[in-house]
Amino acid sequence: MNITKKTIQRATMAIAAVAAVGALGACSTGNAAPAPQGSGGAGGGIGAAPNAGTAKDTSAQGGADGVTGSQRTGAGKSNPGTPPNCLNLNVAWLNPNPLNGESTQWKLPIVLTNKTNTTCVVRGFPGVRLNGEDGTTWDLVRSSDAITPVQLGPGERATADVTYSTAVALNPETGSGGGDPSGWHVASVSITPPNSTNTQTLPWVNPIGLVKQDAATHPGTYVGAVRPGE
């Protein structure tokens, strides 16, 4: 029998092809084939959620429990939770009151009123800068008051107290005194509500000079934290 070299090569190639087909068939009965792109496999991005490409959008018609997507926590909209910070507060004064019967230390309430049509929250300390008639300023330190969030509906108000020390005694009934050249005289006060940049400047409440202690560790003039309005 005359078998040429070319015939042997053809037979060898045919056997190799049959073996490759058999191996492919054996693999198809084991592990699943790679997922196509867009279905969570390698082409769909690492960490893609199962069935990410086939989930139905029920945000418009509601789910099985009858809750729409806008009402369901985690359905695409965050839970409303705490109202936002108050960013539009009007600043005003109330009349000063003597502190613990003192005639040289007074408490002046700052009134912060919500001027918007939505509920918001104010917390912390307002920034208070006293502007002197001599051109100098004094940024007041904060008290040790605990910080409590105050929720304000439209038109509602919170209060923070400025405690200040005068160079001379004032009338406890009126909060005023006679002409006094001593002390540091304040022309106006710049107040910035907590968590905002809405600084507002008001004229000072009386012409009596203060004891300026801007370098003191524990001055007699300071600002307190906001609390529910009076």
Side-chain angles (χ1 to χ4, degrees):
M1 185 174 184
N2 188 14
I3 300 175
T4 64
K5 182 177 180 180
K6 182 177 292 188
T7 302
I8 294 175
Q9 289 176 341
R10 288 177 179 175
T12 302
M13 292 173 62
I15 293 173
V18 172
V21 171
L24 181 62
C27 289
S28 65
T29 61
N31 296 330
Q37 292 187 3
S39 64
I46 298 174
N51 300 322
T54 58
K56 294 182 180 180
D57 182 7
T58 60
S59 59
Q61 70 270 22
D65 54 3
V67 180
T68 65
S70 62
Q71 296 170 319
R72 190 197 319 275
T73 301
K77 298 199 176 193
S78 60
N79 193 357
T82 303
N85 290 330
C86 295
L87 300 179
N88 189 7
L89 295 172
N90 183 68
V91 177
W93 295 121
L94 291 179
N95 292 327
N97 298 301
L99 182 65
N100 300 324
E102 292 286 339
S103 59
T104 57
Q105 194 166 34
W106 294 74
K107 183 172 289 187
L108 179 64
I110 302 172
V111 179
L112 306 172
T113 304
N114 180 11
K115 303 300 290 184
T116 70
N117 295 322
T118 58
T119 298
C120 59
V121 170
V122 59
R123 60 171 65 82
F125 297 80
V128 177
R129 170 174 289 179
L130 305 182
N131 305 304
E133 293 180 354
D134 60 359
T136 63
T137 60
W138 183 5
D139 293 328
L140 300 190
V141 299
R142 300 171 177 178
S143 71
S144 58
D145 293 345
I147 296 177
T148 302
V150 179
Q151 184 168 303
L152 300 178
E156 293 183 340
R157 63 188 191 180
T159 303
D161 295 318
V162 170
T163 300
Y164 63 95
S165 296
T166 59
V168 297
L170 302 182
N171 187 326
E173 298 296 328
T174 64
S176 62
D180 170 42
S182 65
W184 183 65
H185 292 265
V186 180
S188 63
V189 184
S190 298
I191 301 171
T192 306
N195 302 306
S196 80
T197 57
N198 182 25
T199 302
Q200 299 165 59
T201 300
L202 302 176
W204 183 237
V205 291
N206 58 51
I208 305 303
L210 305 187
V211 179
K212 191 177 183 182
Q213 300 173 305
D214 52 340
T217 304
H218 300 288
T221 300
Y222 51 87
V223 60
V226 295
R227 51 184 172 78
E230 297 178 351

